[in-house]
Amino acid sequence: MTSAIRNDWTLEEIQAIYDQPLLELVFQAATIHRQYHAAKEIQVCTLLSIKTGGCPEDCSYCGQAARYHTDIKVQALLPTETVIAHAQKAKDTGSTRFCMAAAWREVRDNKDFDRVIDMVKGVNDLGLEVCCTLGMLTEEQAVRLQEAGLHAYNHNLDTSEEYYKEIISTRKFDNRINTINNVRKAGITVCSGGIIGLGETHRDRIAMLLTLATMPKHPESVPINALARVKGTPLEDNPKVDAWDMVRMIATARIVMPASTVRLTAGRIEMTESEQAWCFMAGANSIFTGERQTLLVTPNPGVTEDMQMLQNLGLEPKLSKKEVSAC
């Protein structure tokens, strides 16, 4: 099977892929994965919350929304030197990508943004791929980030356009698309995926993939998250996402966006090593790990545990471009 990169997918085509018998779906995804990626390589990434809590948005899944009563402590923007130290430690333990997240609705042109620019420059100087997720941003702000050395900007769709209003009311789906367009115009790579387990239908999941797969250029990075249920949020009692649903989503994303990095992100703490192995077989080729054993504000496997898992599965952390050149 040879898969060309397409941007003209239809909902019916993606539905047909998604609805295949699971083993056939995974086989197709694994075959396509090997045409575009080294099968053994997993990019190890680290995500750090540089500003936590107090967000004015009402995202139903998020423990950082100020309006929900959770146990998450509000934390002001971290000092630049603290962030750089975390980035150095991430690099020392095998990460090649460092993502900084701030619980903001949108980027504002103020001293805090100036500090983020300094953080981007500092992390870039370490030789890491630098990613940020800071909320909505203008084209001019995206240009500033790009000039500072930002490699990628994360702005997830979360779910389908139709279901979006059931999860978030403080912004519109089009706001997400506008930010992604601003990022693309500035020459920054796009990181955009979604969350399953929000109460959406399978058709919503397929519609979200359709939006991503029909963009003029596919996101270079597509995170697939399972809902991390946070006590105090409206979705705290949602059922745990079935691991096979994660496998099915990852495999479908791999087939319709073959050259993208598909990231197995939130929800891994509730998955066994065997279940994660299925996700890798289905085309996931990146994970987020960390020294704090958290992904933003929710539990996540630690770096030692993850490195052992990769070794058990015969997988290898992807080298940075500089490391590849040295080899």
Side-chain angles (χ1 to χ4, degrees):
M1 175 187 293
T2 301
S3 177
I5 295 176
R6 292 177 48 190
N7 305 82
D8 61 348
W9 293 97
T10 66
L11 187 70
E12 291 71 27
E13 286 177 315
I14 299 178
Q15 178 92 54
I17 292 168
Y18 182 92
D19 287 341
Q20 290 183 95
L22 186 68
L23 296 185
E24 178 62 26
L25 174 63
V26 171
F27 174 74
Q28 288 186 17
T31 302
I32 289 170
H33 180 73
R34 282 156 175 74
Q35 294 172 11
Y36 287 87
H37 306 274
K40 283 188 174 183
E41 286 187 350
I42 301 294
Q43 186 179 36
V44 179
C45 312
T46 296
L47 175 61
L48 177 68
S49 180
I50 59 173
K51 185 270 178 183
T52 306
C55 181
E57 300 274 35
D58 68 350
C59 307
S60 300
Y61 54 81
C62 185
Q64 299 197 67
R67 67 191 66 204
Y68 305 137
H69 300 290
T70 69
D71 294 330
I72 293 166
K73 295 180 180 178
V74 175
Q75 170 196 279
L77 190 66
L78 291 174
T80 302
E81 56 270 21
T82 300
V83 173
I84 303 304
H86 279 290
Q88 181 64 61
K89 190 165 186 178
K91 180 181 180 179
D92 293 343
T93 54
S95 288
T96 57
R97 188 180 182 111
F98 189 77
C99 187
M100 297 175 283
W104 291 334
R105 167 180 164 77
E106 59 197 343
V107 174
R108 299 186 184 278
D109 295 307
N110 56 23
K111 291 182 179 179
D112 281 349
F113 186 42
D114 293 341
R115 287 170 59 192
V116 171
I117 294 294
D118 289 339
M119 293 174 192
V120 171
K121 291 177 179 177
V123 176
N124 185 55
D125 287 344
L126 295 177
L128 291 164
E129 289 183 4
V130 195
C131 178
C132 280
T133 178
L134 312 169
M136 296 182 288
L137 80 167
T138 66
E139 188 174 348
E140 292 75 19
Q141 291 163 342
V143 168
R144 281 195 68 192
L145 288 165
Q146 189 275 333
E147 290 174 345
L150 190 72
H151 175 77
Y153 195 85
N154 168 259
H155 204 62
N156 290 332
L157 298 182
D158 288 344
T159 189
S160 69
E161 182 174 8
E162 183 178 1
Y163 192 65
Y164 189 83
K165 61 183 178 295
E166 303 297 326
I167 301 300
I168 304 163
S169 70
T170 50
R171 74 168 88 172
K172 298 182 182 299
F173 190 82
D174 283 348
N175 295 138
R176 299 270 181 183
I177 300 298
N178 289 341
T179 290
I180 290 170
N181 289 340
N182 290 338
V183 167
R184 187 64 81 190
K185 288 175 188 175
I188 300 169
T189 65
V190 172
C191 176
S192 187
I195 308 169
I196 66 173
L198 302 175
E200 77 287 346
T201 64
H202 288 280
R203 195 166 183 83
D204 286 315
R205 298 174 184 178
I206 293 161
M208 181 192 72
L209 291 177
L210 176 68
T211 300
L212 296 169
T214 54
M215 288 179 174
K217 186 176 183 180
H218 295 161
E220 286 82 357
S221 172
V222 181
I224 303 296
N225 297 272
L227 173 67
R229 296 160 293 173
V230 179
K231 186 176 180 180
T233 63
L235 303 185
E236 65 173 307
D237 294 324
N238 277 27
K240 175 182 175 294
V241 172
D242 188 273
W244 298 121
D245 283 354
M246 286 290 285
V247 172
R248 192 172 289 278
M249 275 293 287
I250 286 167
T252 306
R254 170 53 66 221
I255 291 170
V256 300
M257 292 173 281
S260 300
T261 296
V262 178
R263 304 188 187 278
L264 173 59
T265 44
R268 287 199 304 120
I269 195 69
E270 294 191 276
M271 299 177 74
T272 66
E273 188 173 283
S274 298
E275 289 168 342
Q276 292 180 71
W278 272 96
C279 292
F280 298 135
M281 178 61 73
N285 56 342
S286 177
I287 57 172
F288 280 91
T289 191
E291 61 187 271
R292 294 181 172 182
Q293 297 185 305
T294 58
L295 191 65
L296 290 184
V297 294
T298 57
N300 192 65
V303 63
T304 302
E305 182 180 350
D306 281 334
M307 291 303 177
Q308 183 63 55
M309 174 183 68
L310 296 184
Q311 182 178 335
N312 293 346
L313 299 178
L315 300 173
E316 300 169 353
K318 183 179 180 180
L319 299 177
S320 68
K321 290 179 181 178
K322 288 184 178 180
E323 289 171 322
V324 170
S325 298
C327 291

